[in-house]
Amino acid sequence: VPLRFQREIGVITGLVGAAGGLGGFFCRRCSGVLKDLTGTYASGFVVLAVLCLWGMSLLVAVEWRVADDVGGVARDHSGGMTAQGRQKAKRQKAKGRNRLCVLGAPLWLWTALFVPIAAVAQSGAPSLPLAVAPLAIPGPYDSTIRLEIANRIRGEFVDWFATPPNGPNPNYRYNFLGNKFQLGVRVTRDPYELFVQFQDSTIANVPDNGVGVGSVYYANTHASLQNGAILRNAWVGTKRILDQPISGRAGRLLTATGSTCRRRRPTSTGSSTTASASD
Amino acid sequence: LIGPFDYTHVGRSFDGGRVGYDTDLLNVTGFGFVPTFGGYEIDANRQLDITLAAWRST
């Protein structure tokens, strides 16, 4: 935001926050209302897909309007466009097309995602096959041994912070690719638990002259291709000690404030129950 | 202020331990950690030169 909107940073930050807040509030409300009205979750996803298409159309309209305005400025006295104006408009349209490809990609992706989800929801399938069931086998002393595998590949392609060509930092690059692979073994025997997790991270095509997240990776290691393996988790813990609600973990672990609190959630009978919020 | 940094491609871990006491009326958590670098540094095994210790109750 500060790179793209240097003077209007307060206003834009407020608008971005407001849009997120409104989306977070209205989307789930509308989804609930649509589910009640139609009896299926599909209706909510269809609406989201339509909204994405509408956003894409709006983006196309705005980009071509900008290109036309640029061309219009550079017209001669007879109303015709000068050679310079034509070139400028041509460049602006090409830039607009490039930006459409970049900015429009998430909208198309969301549309492509929501439509099949809506179709599956409409078909009444109990759940989506988006996750593989954990691989678990019984272990010694009534324990359970579970293999946990996860891989996340994420590309940073959208240059939300593009600075103008004549701006203070025009020579930049933003996009890069990152992959995080995790392999863990969890042994549980209530109330005890043991967890060991290995992680391998690879970051490719990190910009050495960029702005944004990629340049921070580069600043630490000064390499465009980075790979590292770490022991992300290696801890033992218990959920109870001497039948008291005392929990504990020791070793290498992840933590966040309040992670030992239990979530209070209502049941269908109206009473409350608790569940561990720990990872 | 210091969390697992999971939105990066590396993340951050904590070497130490934590203890919690949790009932419907009271939750007390205490911990002591040495965080690892992680975050945007690919070699995340190194430990930061700080020690964190805190407790909270609600």
Side-chain angles (χ1 to χ4, degrees), chain A residues 152 154 178 180 199 201 213 216-217 220 228-229 231-232 245-255 257-262 264, chain B residues 3-4 6-24 27 29 33 36 39-42 44-45 56:
Chain A
R152 185 188 75 184
R154 194 174 71 201
K180 183 168 75 173
Q199 176 180 304
S201 300
V213 180
V216 183
Y217 286 106
N220 277 317
L231 187 64
R232 188 80 201 277
I246 303 172
S247 61
R249 284 184 185 180
R252 171 166 288 189
L253 59 148
L254 312 183
T255 191
T257 305
S259 57
T260 61
C261 288
R262 292 174 297 168
R264 272 69 175 175
Chain B
D6 220 19
Y7 58 88
T8 71
H9 295 289
V10 184
R12 168 175 285 153
S13 300
F14 299 85
D15 294 336
R18 72 167 187 240
V19 177
Y21 177 79
D22 188 42
T23 66
D24 287 339
N27 173 266
T29 305
F33 291 114
T36 63
Y40 295 100
E41 182 168 325
I42 201 83
N45 276 318
R56 61 181 286 276

Side-chain angles (χ1 to χ4, degrees), chain A residues 54-69 100:
Chain A
W54 175 74
M56 186 73 184
S57 308
L58 193 66
L59 198 60
V60 171
V62 170
E63 288 294 345
W64 286 101
R65 172 85 179 270
V66 169
D68 288 341
D69 287 348
L100 278 178

Side-chain angles (χ1 to χ4, degrees), chain A:
Chain A
V1 170
L3 288 170
R4 188 69 179 87
F5 303 98
Q6 288 141 2
R7 293 180 184 172
E8 309 89 352
I9 182 169
V11 175
I12 298 300
T13 303
L15 285 174
V16 170
L22 288 172
F25 178 79
F26 283 109
C27 272
R28 59 199 191 101
R29 289 281 176 188
C30 291
S31 298
V33 170
L34 287 168
K35 167 69 168 58
D36 289 341
L37 288 174
T38 62
T40 172
Y41 291 107
S43 52
F45 288 109
V46 167
V47 170
L48 283 173
V50 171
L51 282 175
C52 287
L53 287 172
W54 175 74
M56 186 73 184
S57 308
L58 193 66
L59 198 60
V60 171
V62 170
E63 288 294 345
W64 286 101
R65 172 85 179 270
V66 169
D68 288 341
D69 287 348
V70 169
V73 169
R75 292 179 188 277
D76 58 20
H77 295 295
S78 63
M81 193 180 290
T82 61
Q84 186 185 5
R86 278 194 295 273
Q87 284 183 351
K88 203 169 181 179
K90 194 176 177 183
R91 281 199 303 270
Q92 191 67 26
K93 284 187 178 181
K95 187 180 174 185
R97 278 194 297 272
N98 291 337
R99 192 172 292 178
L100 278 178
C101 293
V102 174
L103 290 178
L107 293 174
W108 286 116
L109 283 174
W110 281 115
T111 306
L113 180 67
F114 286 138
V115 169
I117 287 177
V120 173
Q122 181 67 45
S123 69
S127 63
L128 299 177
L130 296 179
V132 178
L135 306 171
I137 58 172
Y141 302 104
D142 295 329
S143 64
T144 301
I145 303 173
R146 195 170 67 181
L147 185 65
E148 298 184 358
I149 305 172
N151 192 77
R152 185 188 75 184
I153 184 167
R154 194 174 71 201
E156 314 273 349
F157 299 118
V158 181
D159 188 4
W160 301 107
F161 312 107
T163 54
N166 57 353
N169 186 17
N171 183 24
Y172 67 91
R173 185 164 65 83
Y174 184 78
N175 55 316
F176 70 99
L177 197 65
N179 187 70
K180 183 168 75 173
F181 172 74
Q182 293 177 321
L183 177 66
V185 176
R186 190 184 299 269
V187 181
T188 54
R189 181 185 181 279
D190 194 51
Y192 306 108
E193 192 170 0
L194 164 71
F195 185 49
V196 179
Q197 186 184 50
F198 160 86
Q199 176 180 304
D200 180 88
S201 300
T202 302
I203 307 165
N205 197 33
V206 175
D208 59 357
N209 61 340
V211 294
V213 180
S215 60
V216 183
Y217 286 106
Y218 184 85
N220 277 317
T221 316
H222 290 286
S224 286
L225 177 62
Q226 305 178 17
N227 177 265
I230 60 169
L231 187 64
R232 188 80 201 277
N233 280 283
W235 53 261
V236 291
T238 178
K239 295 175 183 172
R240 293 186 302 278
I241 296 177
L242 299 175
D243 280 337
Q244 296 298 310
I246 303 172
S247 61
R249 284 184 185 180
R252 171 166 288 189
L253 59 148
L254 312 183
T255 191
T257 305
S259 57
T260 61
C261 288
R262 292 174 297 168
R263 293 189 298 269
R264 272 69 175 175
R265 63 187 183 204
T267 64
S268 57
T269 58
S271 61
S272 66
T273 184
T274 58
S276 171
S278 305
D279 53 335

Side-chain angles (χ1 to χ4, degrees), chain B residues 5 11-13 35-41 43-49:
Chain B
F5 243 157
R12 168 175 285 153
S13 300
T36 63
F37 260 81
Y40 295 100
E41 182 168 325
D43 182 15
N45 276 318
R46 286 196 304 136
Q47 290 180 328
L48 286 167
D49 193 21

